[in-house]
Amino acid sequence: MTVPRSKADIKAKYDGMAGRYNLVETPYELLLGIKNLRRQLLQGATGKVLEIAVGTGKNLSHYSKDCEITAVDMSTGMLGVARRHAEGLGRNIAFRTMDAEALAFPDRSFDTVVSSLSLCTFPNPVAAVREMARVCRPEGRILLLEHGRSDHEWLGQWMDHRADKHARRVGCRWNRHPLDIVQQAGLTLIKAKRTFLGIMHQIEAQPS
Ligand SMILES: C[S@@+](CC[C@H](N)C(=O)[O-])C[C@H]1O[C@@H](n2cnc3c(N)ncnc32)[C@H](O)[C@@H]1O
């Protein structure tokens, strides 16, 4: 098994694991308390919402009923699971197959742009965050729930050491630095909270 690096590799990885993604992720979700972090973050989502790299749709149950949601992902397999989940929730969501680094939406077209556990998978995460900023209204919000390299050096080094092995297994680079990515993309940071040994990041930002 090789480390997925190109978009085609990443798409194939997630298409291949779509059916078991929720099961594979369950230990991390429980260990890191991710369900609760999703709920907290998405309280800030309002109006016309774009969720990028929606995956199997784990955030969908946390949005207010008033949100009008469009959700995109590059993997048709993951989108298929998300569609079925949305039907089960009775939510009307517009799903589109799309590359996060080249969104087919006009500038300033959403009130809230959301992404979770995704900066670790994009080949060029700075380009993806720039796209999030482009499609977000200037007074809107970009809400991110991300994981990154721990700021506890012993753990950060262990994550570095295991990064390729982890990427081969689940397709994500777990030792990236989400706050640096947001900064490099030029967003204005409104709130940032780091938990679980500095691994989890809840980020609220605006386009600059
Ligand atoms: C680790 S999963 C996270 C899924 C979901 N956001 C969650 O919180 O569970 C990463 C997702 O990013 C998607 N993805 C990776 N690269 C992408 C890209 N360039 N454009 C759109 N989606 C992408 C994958 O298909 C996968 O569904």
Side-chain angles (χ1 to χ4, degrees), residues 49-177:
V49 175
L50 174 65
E51 181 165 339
I52 314 265
V54 64
T56 56
K58 287 184 172 205
N59 290 330
L60 300 180
S61 61
H62 301 299
Y63 288 106
S64 139
K65 294 276 179 250
D66 300 330
C67 293
E68 180 193 328
I69 304 167
T70 302
V72 306
D73 201 287
M74 197 167 63
S75 158
T76 45
M78 295 292 270
L79 280 175
V81 180
R83 258 195 202 100
R84 288 193 290 281
H85 181 49
E87 279 164 21
L89 293 172
R91 291 218 58 155
N92 184 18
I93 291 166
F95 290 102
R96 306 261 310 260
T97 307
M98 206 177 285
D99 178 3
E101 296 174 21
L103 296 173
F105 298 110
D107 295 357
R108 306 173 173 205
S109 44
F110 293 93
D111 300 299
T112 312
V113 180
V114 172
S115 201
S116 60
L117 316 185
S118 65
L119 298 186
C120 55
T121 59
F122 303 142
N124 185 344
V126 174
V129 176
R130 285 202 183 115
E131 277 293 85
M132 294 179 200
R134 180 183 67 74
V135 300
C136 186
R137 299 210 167 102
E139 71 285 3
R141 287 288 183 275
I142 297 164
L143 304 177
L144 303 174
L145 173 63
E146 294 298 336
H147 65 87
R149 187 185 190 275
S150 172
D151 56 0
H152 293 247
E153 207 36 41
W154 60 271
L155 181 54
Q157 284 185 20
W158 181 81
M159 292 173 85
D160 291 341
H161 182 63
R162 308 258 313 179
D164 279 357
K165 189 171 181 192
H166 184 75
R168 274 194 295 274
R169 205 168 77 79
V170 293
C172 95
R173 307 295 311 177
W174 70 354
N175 59 345
R176 285 185 174 165
H177 297 269

